[in-house]
Amino acid sequence: MQKDSYQTIKHPIEGLYKEKGSKFLAYAWPVQNEEEITRHIEDLKKRYHDARHHCYAWELGVDGMNFRMNDDGEPSGTAGKPILGQIHSHELTNILVVVVRYFGGVKLGTGGLIQAYKSATADALEKAGKVEFTIDKSFTIRFAYDLMNPVMRVVDEERLKVEEQIFEADCRLTLSVRESKYEALVDRFQQTYGIDLLKTED
């Protein structure tokens, strides 16, 4: 079954990890698109313009296919990958995490860097409250007035969101339903009441 819900964080959150004089400041945001992501990264780089590294990872959507990692000058695989790993460990998406590093004068080595970026991210995400969203589908139906009661009974039973209603010569309702319930609901309207869809919107 296609996944039609996801978890992200409720609001922006910060984390911190210190090791051998280096400070790793983690910032996490719930995001909806790449434009938001770019804006947050650019704002943070301006805010911490004197930091040596601004490493990040982000993921959008529920299929795990839309993500990016950036080591920003750290050895390959030591920053973006452990940040993304924590995003996955906490089962989150639609999220951006940026870890700002201030170098303390002592090199941490590959293992130390991986642990530092992982720990800074974990500190932020473990403090963050999670929220779940469903992926919904909107559709419009048209029907005669004598079907109003049974249609509204379905709306109540299935807890559908009414986005728009028009009552003229006939009735039109634009409804929203969780994606996994969409096909069965359309069949119910069509097979039981002979109601067809006018349009569907993702």
Side-chain angles (χ1 to χ4, degrees):
M1 181 181 293
Q2 184 177 357
K3 190 174 181 182
D4 68 348
S5 66
Y6 65 91
Q7 289 187 128
T8 190
I9 56 176
K10 287 183 178 179
H11 47 70
I13 197 79
E14 299 177 12
L16 174 65
Y17 181 77
K18 296 180 180 179
E19 181 68 19
K20 296 180 180 177
S22 284
K23 285 200 304 183
F24 297 82
L25 311 172
Y27 294 87
W29 294 269
V31 292
Q32 293 295 322
N33 54 59
E34 293 189 38
E35 289 75 19
E36 274 187 76
I37 290 167
T38 299
R39 186 173 68 251
H40 285 310
I41 293 171
E42 289 177 350
D43 288 348
L44 206 61
K45 284 183 175 180
K46 291 176 184 176
R47 181 176 170 187
Y48 294 106
H49 59 87
D50 56 339
R52 179 169 288 196
H53 305 284
H54 307 80
C55 307
Y56 63 84
W58 57 261
E59 184 164 318
L60 294 171
V62 297
D63 60 6
M65 301 300 290
N66 191 11
F67 64 91
R68 295 286 186 280
M69 300 174 285
N70 190 309
D71 295 316
D72 194 33
E74 294 282 33
S76 180
T78 62
K81 190 173 182 180
I83 295 171
L84 186 64
Q86 284 301 298
I87 290 173
H88 290 163
S89 293
H90 287 79
E91 299 181 329
L92 299 167
T93 189
N94 283 37
I95 183 172
L96 163 69
V97 179
V98 183
V99 179
V100 178
R101 181 191 182 188
Y102 280 94
F103 184 54
V106 179
K107 291 186 177 181
L108 303 182
T110 299
L113 286 173
I114 291 171
Q115 184 60 41
Y117 282 100
K118 174 182 176 181
S119 298
T121 304
D123 185 56
L125 298 185
E126 285 165 8
K127 294 186 293 188
K130 294 181 181 179
V131 61
E132 183 175 19
F133 291 97
T134 60
I135 298 171
D136 299 329
K137 201 162 189 171
S138 296
F139 62 99
T140 302
I141 56 175
R142 181 175 62 192
F143 53 93
Y145 275 90
D146 59 3
L147 288 175
M148 175 66 76
N149 286 338
V151 166
M152 295 312 295
R153 188 160 56 244
V154 174
V155 169
D156 289 339
E157 288 173 2
E158 299 291 344
R159 298 180 180 177
L160 304 180
K161 179 182 177 183
V162 179
E163 297 183 343
E164 184 180 25
Q165 49 190 11
I166 300 173
F167 303 118
E168 294 175 340
D170 51 20
C171 307
R172 297 190 187 200
L173 288 180
T174 298
L175 305 169
S176 179
V177 65
R178 188 165 175 162
E179 200 169 69
S180 60
K181 295 183 175 182
Y182 173 75
E183 294 295 340
L185 186 66
V186 169
D187 284 345
R188 184 175 180 185
F189 278 127
Q190 290 178 334
Q191 302 300 325
T192 307
Y193 304 113
I195 297 172
D196 288 323
L197 275 64
L198 292 180
K199 62 179 180 177
T200 302
E201 298 174 359
D202 291 328

